Each structure stands twice: as C-alpha cells, then as structure tokens.
C-alpha cells in the first residue's frame, strides 16, 4: 500500500519560531510537493522537487524553504513563522515520467497553528 | 492567475440524486485532468482522471466529462450517497521540462449529500 507520511498531524508554534515539517514517501517517487490548503483558495503549491537536491518554487514560496537530501524525504521549513502561515499543509509525491503518471499521492496533512 | 477554477464553493444534493461538480480552465496546454476527493483532517485522494483525447471517462458511479472547446470539465456522481460528502478538487498537471507532474488545483467544491 502506497504511503506518504507527514511527521505531525497537529502543531502549535509561536510567531518567529523556525518550524520544520517532515514528509516521507515509500513509493520511490521522483516528484515531491508541498501544498497548503486554505478555505476558498484550494491547494496552492509552495515548493516542488523533481529529484534529490533539486527544487522549484511554486506559486507561494515566500517565507518558506525546502530540503531534499534523500529521495524519500522532503522537508518544508518556515524560517520565521507568522500568523498568516496558519494553515493545513499537505505533502504529496508522484512519479516523474509524463502526463499519464501524474497522479499524486498525499499525506494526511499537518494542521499548523501559529500563535 | 487562477488557471483552474471551481466557481461553486458548495453544492447540496439529496441522497440518490445526481451531483454535478464543475471546473473551468484557462491554460490550453493542459491536456490531462484529475479529480480528487478530500475528507476533513485527511489528505486528498485520487478519484478519477481524463485525458484530452477523450470526452468522457467512467468509473462506477463517477463520470468525468471534458469539453475542450469550452475549456470545461464536470464530475457527475450518480447516485449520490451521504459518504460522498467531501471537498472535491479538480487539478491539471503542468507539461514540459522539470515541471512534469506539478499539479495546479482549483479552489474546491464542498459537496453535502443529505440522507
């Protein structure tokens, strides 16, 4: 059974803290993604990685960075958490190899609250 | 620039009736579309997809229709069941270069099926 696992379901952090969200997939997928979900805005892409150490900015990268040192692990870093980063964060992975392999598998999500 | 749009934030349907969820896109380069379903506090799960070489794809109670000239797709659920109550997202992958597999999502439609 395919699996994308996010390290925390719920997190509460203080403004200004550095926050790490971890994601691990066991499907040997090349692509990994971080999205955030907010009501009325859908899922917005923060960062995308198509290979180890490779990353591309998504639609809303400001205030975030990522790290992919191993194929199975993709970390999202909030350099200095702010209240407008309170959201549901979703990690996903997919095969690289063309349009027909673009089904992405998602983790269960991390609900982050910044106070 | 919202390239994938779901203009109906919510839809309420009686059990046994048809649910129709709509999605419009602006990028004529999109040629593959996916629908995801999301329950609260869970990650989205893949539901059904369609390639632009088709205008219809069926999977059990779920059918997706694609009208390329109108840049419009719709998801039909027949008959609707209370367990179908969830948020539904349409999505399209980018094509080309390292962006293969990068999914752009719509805002989502909250479907409520009443018993």
């Amino acid at each position: 059974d395919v699996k994308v696992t996010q390290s925390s379901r719920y997190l509460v952090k203080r403004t200004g803290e550095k926050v790490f969200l971890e994601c691990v997939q066991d499907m040997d997928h090349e692509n990994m993604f971080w999205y955030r979900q907010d009501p009325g805005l859908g899922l917005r892409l923060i960062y995308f990685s198509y290979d180890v150490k490779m990353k591309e900015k998504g639609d809303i990268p400001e205030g975030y960075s990522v790290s992919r040192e191993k194929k199975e692990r993709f970390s999202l870093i909030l350099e200095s958490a702010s209240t407008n980063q309170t959201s549901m964060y979703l990690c996903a992975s997919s095969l690289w190899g063309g349009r027909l392999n673009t089904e992405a598998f998602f983790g269960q999500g991390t609900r982050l609250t910044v106070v | 620039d919202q390239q994938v749009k779901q203009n109906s934030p919510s839809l309420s349907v009686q059990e046994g009736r048809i649910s129709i969820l709509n999605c419009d896109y602006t990028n004529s380069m999109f040629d593959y579309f996916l629908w995801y379903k999301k329950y609260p506090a869970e990650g989205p799960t893949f539901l059904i997809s369609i390639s632009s070489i088709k205008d219809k794809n069926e999977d059990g109670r779920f059918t997706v229709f694609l009208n390329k000239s109108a840049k419009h797709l719709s998801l039909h659920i027949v008959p609707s069941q209370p367990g179908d109550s969830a948020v539904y997202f349409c999505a399209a992958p980018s094509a080309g270069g390292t962006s293969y597999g990068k999914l752009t999502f719509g805002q989502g439609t909250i479907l409520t099926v009443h018993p």
Side-chain angles (χ1 to χ4, degrees):
Chain A
D1 198 17
V2 298
K3 206 151 188 182
V4 179
T5 303
Q6 294 181 229
S7 53
S8 305
R9 292 295 298 267
Y10 301 94
L11 275 179
V12 179
K13 296 291 181 181
R14 294 195 180 278
T15 302
E17 274 193 78
K18 191 168 186 176
V19 181
F20 293 85
L21 302 182
E22 308 285 345
C23 176
V24 177
Q25 52 98 359
D26 65 359
M27 295 167 281
D28 202 35
H29 284 168
E30 292 85 4
N31 294 336
M32 294 190 76
F33 311 84
W34 277 105
Y35 289 87
R36 63 178 279 180
Q37 182 197 0
D38 301 289
L41 297 176
L43 276 67
R44 294 180 292 166
L45 182 65
I46 305 171
Y47 266 98
F48 163 57
S49 170
Y50 55 91
D51 201 353
V52 175
K53 297 191 188 293
M54 306 305 289
K55 61 186 179 186
E56 284 190 10
K57 292 180 180 179
D59 301 317
I60 50 164
E62 297 79 17
Y64 303 94
S65 62
V66 290
S67 172
R68 192 159 180 209
E69 297 295 318
K70 294 185 178 181
K71 189 176 185 181
E72 68 270 19
R73 188 178 295 269
F74 192 36
S75 303
L76 179 70
I77 303 152
L78 285 66
E79 298 291 343
S80 176
S82 63
T83 54
N84 63 12
Q85 292 178 310
T86 292
S87 187
M88 168 71 88
Y89 289 87
L90 292 158
C91 174
S93 71
S94 70
L95 284 170
W96 193 97
R99 298 168 183 83
L100 296 183
N101 286 327
T102 50
E103 178 189 341
F105 295 86
F106 282 84
Q108 76 277 28
T110 297
R111 170 67 67 183
L112 173 67
T113 303
V114 182
V115 298
Chain B
D1 177 28
Q2 188 80 25
Q3 297 187 68
V4 178
K5 299 178 187 179
Q6 294 174 258
N7 292 316
S8 298
S10 63
L11 175 68
S12 184
V13 170
Q14 205 67 30
E15 182 179 7
R17 299 290 187 103
I18 184 171
S19 296
I20 300 176
L21 298 106
N22 294 304
C23 180
D24 297 295
Y25 61 96
T26 57
N27 188 341
S28 57
M29 297 299 291
F30 287 152
D31 61 1
Y32 188 69
F33 302 90
L34 305 92
W35 283 92
Y36 279 81
K37 176 179 178 178
K38 185 182 184 299
Y39 293 116
E42 292 184 16
T45 53
F46 169 74
L47 190 57
I48 192 169
S49 62
I50 189 166
S51 165
S52 61
I53 61 173
K54 294 184 174 182
D55 54 16
K56 178 182 172 181
N57 188 28
E58 267 184 275
D59 184 2
R61 295 186 297 115
F62 302 90
T63 303
V64 57
F65 296 92
L66 175 62
N67 182 335
K68 282 180 288 184
S69 61
K71 294 194 179 71
H72 177 83
L73 61 153
S74 60
L75 174 68
H76 292 213
I77 307 173
V78 184
S80 302
Q81 299 174 355
D84 296 329
S85 297
V87 182
Y88 290 79
F89 293 98
C90 65
S94 302
T98 57
S99 293
Y100 263 139
K102 190 173 78 170
L103 288 172
T104 298
F105 285 85
Q107 303 95 314
T109 298
I110 301 169
L111 173 65
T112 304
V113 181
H114 298 282

